[in-house]
Amino acid sequence: MISIPLPSNSPLSQTISYSVSPLFELAASLHTLAQPAPPARFVDWTQEIRTQFKEARLNSDWEYFLPIFRFGIPDSFDPVFTKGVMSVDDQYEYFVTLPTDEFIRSLQPLLHEWNQHHDIPNVVFDIEEDADYVKGRFSLFVSSYWQLFFEANWEAIAPSFVREAEQIHMMLEDLSACLPFLIKISPEITYDAEAHRLLCPTKGTSVEVQQLVLYPSHYFAHEPLLTKRGKSAHLLYCFST
């Protein structure tokens, strides 16, 4: 259980915030693309992108990196860290300056999960041999995907993120509006009126955090995902565009 005390004499915005990053949304789209059976609303899109990958000669790179995205999204795409990455130049600079060991650490849990279900992929062996090569190839693939495919998608869905942000701002004006909004995102969230705190069921021991950060996403096509990071709880959820 994750508990989040709510302020009694200050705005809810001091406790609840949101973060949006085009680079994270790009990664979320690759996560959805990597699913063997994507949700119905993404079936046509995934088929189209896979065909375009072949035409653009990106298919081999995609097959190489697919194991990274099958079971999640690398922490290196976290919206908190990447929300200022707004162009292909920003993206290239971000990965160039990202330490290689930090980049590799963000991949390890996802590759470990892949290895539990499939043969060890080539990217794992290459990481052991030359991690900088993997990072460089990854950056070039993400840049190509951004320029050839994702940028136009982002321009199309960006207005929906603006509308979602407006709804979040409105719901933070009053607790009576905040609770239905959060419960709509994740029905398991409850409110302890006596202790004046939000309660979010999770596996493991009960912990208290000071902040709840909302990550709205168009391409994240799974159930809401709640994780604890430091003194914050991060709630990733899909919303309709």
Side-chain angles (χ1 to χ4, degrees):
M1 180 74 69
I2 293 178
S3 64
I4 308 166
L6 298 178
S8 55
N9 298 313
S10 57
L12 288 170
S13 57
Q14 291 190 7
T15 300
I16 303 174
S17 61
Y18 76 97
S19 188
V20 173
S21 159
L23 185 57
F24 177 84
E25 194 64 8
L26 176 149
S29 74
L30 292 175
H31 174 55
T32 296
L33 188 65
Q35 303 311 304
R41 69 190 183 99
F42 287 115
V43 168
D44 291 342
W45 174 80
T46 55
Q47 291 176 345
E48 179 182 351
I49 292 296
R50 287 167 182 164
T51 298
Q52 292 177 354
F53 273 177
K54 294 178 182 178
E55 294 173 352
R57 298 182 179 179
L58 283 179
N59 200 54
S60 61
D61 281 334
W62 169 237
E63 294 294 334
Y64 180 78
F65 288 116
L66 186 151
I68 292 171
F69 291 98
R70 171 64 59 81
F71 294 98
I73 299 171
D75 288 344
S76 54
F77 288 97
D78 190 307
V80 170
F81 303 130
T82 62
K83 63 182 179 181
V85 181
M86 303 298 293
S87 69
V88 68
D89 290 337
D90 293 337
Q91 176 261 305
Y92 180 78
E93 181 179 359
Y94 173 75
F95 280 112
V96 166
T97 58
L98 181 69
T100 300
D101 58 347
E102 184 176 334
F103 168 74
I104 297 301
R105 276 198 303 272
S106 75
L107 309 184
Q108 295 295 2
L110 305 175
L111 290 172
H112 176 75
E113 185 67 25
W114 172 276
N115 293 341
Q116 303 305 305
H117 305 277
H118 306 279
D119 293 338
I120 298 175
N122 289 334
V123 65
V124 171
F125 299 113
D126 288 343
I127 285 173
E128 295 175 354
E129 291 291 328
D130 191 345
D132 286 323
Y133 161 78
V134 174
K135 180 189 167 191
R137 183 174 176 179
F138 184 86
S139 177
L140 289 174
F141 167 71
V142 171
S143 294
S144 298
Y145 177 62
W146 181 305
Q147 291 178 290
L148 295 176
F149 308 108
F150 183 76
E151 188 171 26
N153 288 355
W154 174 253
E155 291 176 355
I157 65 177
S160 65
F161 281 87
V162 174
R163 292 191 294 270
E164 185 73 3
E166 292 172 348
Q167 290 191 50
I168 293 174
H169 282 298
M170 290 177 60
M171 70 88 171
L172 291 178
E173 294 179 358
D174 185 78
L175 183 60
S176 63
C178 175
L179 293 176
F181 185 90
L182 294 177
I183 291 171
K184 183 180 179 180
I185 292 174
S186 180
E188 294 184 340
I189 293 178
T190 58
Y191 173 61
D192 183 342
E194 183 175 346
H196 197 50
R197 64 180 59 214
L198 295 172
L199 301 176
C200 309
T202 58
K203 297 179 181 179
T205 59
S206 296
V207 293
E208 179 178 292
V209 299
Q210 302 304 312
Q211 300 283 330
L212 174 63
V213 184
L214 303 176
Y215 296 156
S217 173
H218 168 69
Y219 282 109
F220 186 78
H222 298 280
E223 295 298 317
L225 178 63
L226 181 72
T227 56
K228 177 185 177 296
R229 297 191 180 180
K231 295 182 179 180
S232 299
H234 294 185
L235 179 58
L236 172 63
Y237 68 96
C238 182
F239 73 100
S240 300
T241 58

